[in-house]
Amino acid sequence: GREEGAEEHETASGPSDEELAAMVVGVRLNLAQALLKLREFESCIIHCDKALELDPTSTKGLWRKAKAAWGTRNPGIAREALHGLLQLDPGNAAAVAMLREI
């Protein structure tokens, strides 16, 4: 009775699973951007991968992963991320330019 109702109320007042996932993706992408600026490329890739697990269509996650992978001179991972990005955003000039550079 009461305990069950209270539990439902707590769940209803908090963020949904989708909202929580979106928040985690945002935090991971913000960390990835900061790490990219600090040239901490390996850590950046880890945060991008975690964000992309929750949102595989994140163009920011794919772009930041590509930049970090290229920063580690790993063209295979960079190309893979860029191809994923271009499937979602075919007109992305920065991704096309980076692909030509690799």
Side-chain angles (χ1 to χ4, degrees), residues 88-99:
L88 298 166
D89 183 8
N92 190 307
V96 171
M98 188 185 286
L99 256 182

Side-chain angles (χ1 to χ4, degrees), residues 28-38 44 64 67:
R28 292 258 187 208
L29 291 176
N30 288 343
L31 280 168
Q33 180 63 27
L35 291 163
L36 194 57
K37 287 184 183 269
L38 293 170
C44 176
R64 290 172 188 169
K67 285 180 74 170

Side-chain angles (χ1 to χ4, degrees), residues 10-95:
E10 286 174 17
T11 305
S13 67
S16 68
D17 288 347
E18 293 81 18
E19 290 168 330
L20 193 56
M23 285 186 253
V24 170
V25 167
V27 169
R28 292 258 187 208
L29 291 176
N30 288 343
L31 280 168
Q33 180 63 27
L35 291 163
L36 194 57
K37 287 184 183 269
L38 293 170
R39 304 181 63 79
E40 295 287 339
F41 300 124
E42 292 85 1
S43 295
C44 176
I45 292 169
I46 290 168
H47 286 285
C48 288
D49 283 342
K50 294 291 186 185
L52 290 164
E53 283 175 21
L54 294 170
D55 181 5
T57 64
S58 170
T59 54
K60 283 183 183 178
L62 290 163
W63 174 246
R64 290 172 188 169
K65 180 177 180 175
K67 285 180 74 170
W70 187 233
T72 64
R73 293 295 181 236
N74 190 325
I77 291 175
R79 263 191 222 100
E80 183 183 311
L82 290 168
H83 285 299
L85 173 56
L86 288 169
Q87 284 181 338
L88 298 166
D89 183 8
N92 190 307

